[in-house]
Amino acid sequence: MPGSHTEQPTPPPELDETLIRSAMTGSTTALAAIYDAYARRIYRYFFSRVANAAEAEDLTAETFLKVIEALPRYQHRGQFTAWIFQIARNTAMDYFRCSHNQPLSSDSFDLPVMDGALDQVIDQQTIATLRSHFRALEEDERELLRLRFVVDLTYAEIAALLGRKEDAVRKAVNSLTNRLYWKMETNHA
């Protein structure tokens, strides 16, 4: 059923206030722990936006350079994940603004390998339909779904990142997933 994605723990247990403060002073061990905790999620976020592995890697690296530069000015308020993803979102906006690229609109996601040719055709049609419905959403709606399901941010983290109330984010995500669910059901009826 749509909207039933469970909350993930926040922040990762290894990223306590002491670790963040150590990173703020330049501790390479602490910086490595932050990188390990966030690199995969940030990469997935960029790949979902640009659909190009090399560009996603470059944007991830650029984000971590910006994080390292900004860490001494970070004010720990228990929202480190929101802070780091704001840097990633700003990096994505800069990328699209400076390179005049458009956000992802191609059919570039890999499909799982299927045994049966008919199953593969049906799955490709379903994925193509879902992509079409996803692209029809407003950019801010797509971003909400990306942050929740691609990056696995919690509702609280998304709320802090976007400056919205957690309940409003939860309702918006549930509404969007329900809308996509019913559009997909309508296509298969």
Side-chain angles (χ1 to χ4, degrees):
M1 179 67 180
S4 62
H5 196 266
T6 58
E7 291 283 322
Q8 299 291 321
T10 178
E14 66 274 16
L15 292 185
D16 60 10
E17 187 173 344
T18 305
L19 181 84
I20 293 169
R21 294 212 185 278
S22 293
M24 291 171 70
T25 62
S27 164
T28 56
T29 304
L31 290 170
I34 289 171
Y35 179 85
D36 290 343
Y38 290 100
R40 182 178 300 251
R41 292 165 72 187
I42 289 172
Y43 172 83
R44 283 194 323 245
Y45 172 73
F46 286 127
F47 189 80
S48 76
R49 304 283 319 258
V50 301
N52 178 299
E55 287 182 24
E57 289 170 6
D58 289 346
L59 290 166
T60 300
E62 183 178 338
T63 297
F64 278 100
L65 288 174
K66 290 177 180 179
V67 165
I68 291 167
E69 290 173 4
L71 259 171
R73 296 182 306 279
Y74 173 71
Q75 296 177 356
H76 188 66
R77 295 185 182 121
Q79 299 177 347
F80 188 77
T81 298
W83 178 79
I84 203 167
F85 274 96
Q86 185 60 56
I87 293 172
R89 289 182 75 223
N90 290 344
T91 302
M93 287 188 279
D94 290 346
Y95 168 81
F96 290 118
R97 184 176 42 249
C98 294
S99 66
H100 304 292
N101 287 317
Q102 295 298 314
L104 176 64
S105 62
S106 66
D107 295 335
S108 59
F109 295 106
D110 292 332
L111 292 172
V113 176
M114 301 287 168
D115 288 337
L118 181 59
D119 288 340
Q120 190 169 6
V121 168
I122 291 169
D123 285 347
Q124 287 175 343
Q125 290 172 341
T126 301
I127 290 169
T129 302
L130 182 58
R131 277 191 195 115
S132 174
H133 291 313
F134 183 78
R135 283 192 296 259
L137 297 173
E138 297 293 324
E139 176 56 31
D140 62 326
E141 294 172 326
R142 290 190 303 263
E143 185 72 353
L144 264 178
L145 294 177
R146 255 187 231 108
L147 292 171
R148 181 69 181 129
F149 298 110
V150 174
V151 182
D152 286 329
L153 293 183
T154 65
Y155 295 115
E157 290 168 335
I158 296 168
L161 174 62
L162 301 178
R164 295 170 66 180
K165 294 185 180 197
E166 181 178 349
D167 194 48
V169 169
R170 183 184 321 274
K171 287 178 182 176
V173 169
N174 286 339
S175 172
L176 289 168
T177 55
N178 283 330
R179 189 172 2 147
L180 288 172
Y181 174 81
W182 290 112
K183 283 185 179 189
M184 293 298 292
E185 284 296 308
T186 302
N187 281 13
H188 287 63

